[in-house]
Amino acid sequence: MHDIKWIRDNPEAFDRALARRGLSGESAKLIALDEKRRAAITKAEAAQARRNAASKDIGAAKKNKDEATAQSLMAEVAALKDLMPALEAEEKKLSAELNTVLAAIPNLPSDDVPDGKDETANVEHHHFGAKRNYSFEPKQHFELGEELRQMDFETAAKLSGARFVVLKSGLARMERAIGQFFVDVHTSEHGYTEIAPPLLVRDEVMYGTAQLPKFEEDQFWAVKGELLVGSDNAMGAIRAQRLGLIPTAEVPLTNMVRESIVEEAELPMRLTAYTPCFRAEAGAAGKDTRGMIRQHQFNKVELVSITTPEQSKDEHERMLSCAEEVLRRLGLHYRVVTLCAGDMGFPSQKTYDIEVWLPGQGMYREISSCSNCGDFQARRMDARYRTKEGRAVRHVHTLNGSGVAVGRALVAVMETYQQDGGSIAVPDALQSYMGGKTVIERAT
C-alpha cells in the first residue's frame, strides 16, 4: 500500500516510478480521490464541531431564559445529528474507494533496480560453480524419477489431477532431507527462528502480503459451509466461510506482526518455516506441464525478516547470502540475477532471483527469489515499531525469500548428481539425513 501523503507531495516521482513498471500514471486520479475524501472529512468535522458548540449554547440560552434561541439551537443540533451518519458514510465510502485503487498499484522499484519490461532485461549479479560435464546425455528429472520408479505422476493425477506428484522411497526421503537440511542451517547458523505456522489464513492476511485482491485466482481456498435448510436449491444454500491455503509461508510469517507495534530492540526479526505451499497457477496454462517445476502443491523453506528502514538494504543482501549458502553446500551451480523493474513481483521494490542450472533441461531455472518490500506490506498490515528513543512510531520494512524451494532443489540435485545408468548420487551434505545412504538406485 502506498502513502497517499507522499503521493500528494511527489506526484511526478510516483508516476515516473510506475512508468518503470510499464504502467500509466495514477497520481492525478489518486489526488483527486483524496481531495474528495479530505473534503468529506472536513465537512463531517465542521458539522460535529458546530453540533458541539450549539449544544453548549443551548445551556447558556436556557440560563438566560431565552427560550426561542434555545429551541432554535435544539432544532439545529437535531438536524446535525440526523446529518452526521450521512456525512460519515460519505467519508467511509470515499476512503474505501481510495484504498481500493491504492491496493491495486504495485510497489515502486528502488532507484538501483535496472530498467526493462521483462526477464530479458534482468542483470546477472554473480554466479557460483560451473556447469558439469557428463560422459552421457543428462536426463531431465522426471525421466530419472520415473525410471527409478520413485516419481509417479500417473497415480498423482488419479488422486488429485494435473500438477501433482507422488514421491516414493529414496526420492521421498531425499526431499524431506533437503528441507530438514535447509532449516537446520538457517536456524543453527543464520539466526532464524523456526516457526510452524497455520497453513490456512484469513482474507485480510492474504491482503496484508498483497496476494489479494490482485491475485485471487492464483489462490486455493478451503471453504467451511453451513447448509441452510429450506433453500429453493435442491442441494440447499451454503453460507460459506473461506480460508486461503498459503501460497508461501511468507504470508503467515510476515503477518505475525500485523496490527501491532514492536520495539526497535526486537528488530531485525528473522523467521523461517518449512511448509507445504499451494498455488492454483492460474496464469501458467501450458507452462512446465511435465515434471515438478510448476506444481499446485510443493514444499518450501521460507525466510522472512522484519526490520527498520535503515536495516532493510543490508538485510536484503544478508538474506540472499543465506539462501545461497545452502545451495553452495549442495554443490549446485547457480547464478544470481537482479530483476528489472518490469519483471518484479507486485509487492517488491527490489528482487534478486537465484537460478539453478539444470543439466537435463540445459537451462537455468529460478529456485529462490529474495525481495525487499520496504514498507509496502507493513502499511497494508498496519505493522509498526517504536523507536529506541520512544518518541516515534514508524512502519517496519519487510523482506522475504525462498531458502529455498525444496521441490526444485530436489530436481536440481537429481539432474546434477545423476550417474550413467540413471542412479542419483547423494550429496555429502545430505548423507547424514539419508541414514548414510550415498546412492539412490532403482526400486526393485
Side-chain angles (χ1 to χ4, degrees), residues 248-269:
T248 164
E250 169 202 346
V251 176
L253 293 183
T254 308
N255 275 276
M256 285 177 66
V257 293
R258 69 177 289 108
E259 298 172 348
S260 64
I261 301 174
V262 299
E263 299 299 326
E264 185 175 353
E266 299 176 57
L267 305 178
M269 189 181 298

Side-chain angles (χ1 to χ4, degrees), residues 245-357:
L245 280 71
I246 62 170
T248 164
E250 169 202 346
V251 176
L253 293 183
T254 308
N255 275 276
M256 285 177 66
V257 293
R258 69 177 289 108
E259 298 172 348
S260 64
I261 301 174
V262 299
E263 299 299 326
E264 185 175 353
E266 299 176 57
L267 305 178
M269 189 181 298
R270 300 183 178 118
L271 310 172
T272 187
Y274 176 29
T275 68
C277 304
F278 307 90
R279 296 185 186 176
E281 297 288 359
K287 297 179 181 178
D288 300 308
T289 53
R290 292 204 65 186
M292 289 181 60
I293 293 295
R294 196 183 299 272
Q295 297 212 294
H296 290 317
Q297 175 186 323
F298 57 94
N299 294 322
K300 182 157 67 80
V301 174
E302 185 72 5
L303 305 176
V304 162
S305 292
I306 313 296
T307 75
T308 66
E310 294 78 15
Q311 294 170 321
S312 66
K313 185 174 181 179
D314 289 341
E315 187 68 15
H316 194 197
E317 302 297 326
R318 183 187 188 277
M319 178 177 285
L320 173 65
S321 68
C322 292
E324 285 187 72
E325 180 59 26
V326 293
L327 297 178
R328 288 173 181 254
R329 294 194 191 182
L330 290 178
L332 299 175
H333 170 49
Y334 66 84
R335 67 181 182 185
V336 174
V337 297
T338 306
L339 299 194
C340 70
D343 195 38
M344 292 194 306
F346 185 87
S348 174
Q349 64 178 205
K350 183 176 182 179
T351 297
Y352 293 118
D353 269 8
I354 305 177
E355 299 178 345
V356 69
W357 176 253

Side-chain angles (χ1 to χ4, degrees), residues 122-381:
N122 294 342
V123 177
E124 183 171 326
H125 191 273
H126 62 271
H127 68 271
F128 171 78
K131 299 173 185 177
R132 294 191 178 197
N133 294 317
Y134 297 87
S135 60
F136 54 91
E137 184 70 24
K139 297 178 180 179
Q140 296 195 55
H141 68 282
F142 51 83
E143 298 172 309
L144 293 163
E146 289 173 336
E147 290 174 8
L148 288 168
R149 296 180 180 173
Q150 297 178 36
M151 187 176 285
D152 190 343
F153 297 99
E154 184 177 346
T155 298
K158 291 178 182 178
L159 297 174
S160 306
R163 297 192 187 277
F164 291 91
V165 66
V166 171
L167 296 177
K168 304 175 184 178
S169 191
L171 291 185
R173 182 167 186 175
M174 180 178 277
E175 185 189 46
R176 175 163 53 91
I178 290 171
Q180 290 178 321
F181 166 64
F182 290 167
V183 170
D184 286 351
V185 172
H186 293 318
T187 55
S188 64
E189 300 181 34
H190 296 158
Y192 287 85
T193 298
E194 183 175 2
I195 304 293
L199 303 182
L200 296 167
V201 296
R202 300 177 184 272
D203 278 21
E204 54 266 34
V205 173
M206 288 280 202
Y207 177 88
T209 43
Q211 274 70 35
L212 292 181
K214 185 175 178 61
F215 302 105
E216 175 145 359
E217 290 186 358
D218 288 319
Q219 315 308 321
F220 278 112
W221 302 96
V223 178
K224 177 183 178 183
E226 175 187 352
L227 185 65
L228 301 181
V229 180
S231 167
D232 293 336
N233 189 314
M235 294 297 293
I238 297 293
R239 180 189 291 128
Q241 174 191 6
R242 75 175 188 179
L243 292 172
L245 280 71
I246 62 170
T248 164
E250 169 202 346
V251 176
L253 293 183
T254 308
N255 275 276
M256 285 177 66
V257 293
R258 69 177 289 108
E259 298 172 348
S260 64
I261 301 174
V262 299
E263 299 299 326
E264 185 175 353
E266 299 176 57
L267 305 178
M269 189 181 298
R270 300 183 178 118
L271 310 172
T272 187
Y274 176 29
T275 68
C277 304
F278 307 90
R279 296 185 186 176
E281 297 288 359
K287 297 179 181 178
D288 300 308
T289 53
R290 292 204 65 186
M292 289 181 60
I293 293 295
R294 196 183 299 272
Q295 297 212 294
H296 290 317
Q297 175 186 323
F298 57 94
N299 294 322
K300 182 157 67 80
V301 174
E302 185 72 5
L303 305 176
V304 162
S305 292
I306 313 296
T307 75
T308 66
E310 294 78 15
Q311 294 170 321
S312 66
K313 185 174 181 179
D314 289 341
E315 187 68 15
H316 194 197
E317 302 297 326
R318 183 187 188 277
M319 178 177 285
L320 173 65
S321 68
C322 292
E324 285 187 72
E325 180 59 26
V326 293
L327 297 178
R328 288 173 181 254
R329 294 194 191 182
L330 290 178
L332 299 175
H333 170 49
Y334 66 84
R335 67 181 182 185
V336 174
V337 297
T338 306
L339 299 194
C340 70
D343 195 38
M344 292 194 306
F346 185 87
S348 174
Q349 64 178 205
K350 183 176 182 179
T351 297
Y352 293 118
D353 269 8
I354 305 177
E355 299 178 345
V356 69
W357 176 253
L358 299 182
Q361 287 197 14
M363 62 189 301
Y364 291 99
R365 299 302 301 261
E366 178 203 332
I367 195 169
S368 174
S369 191
C370 296
S371 298
N372 187 350
C373 298
D375 64 3
F376 185 82
Q377 293 176 325
R379 289 182 179 278
R380 298 170 78 100
M381 298 185 300

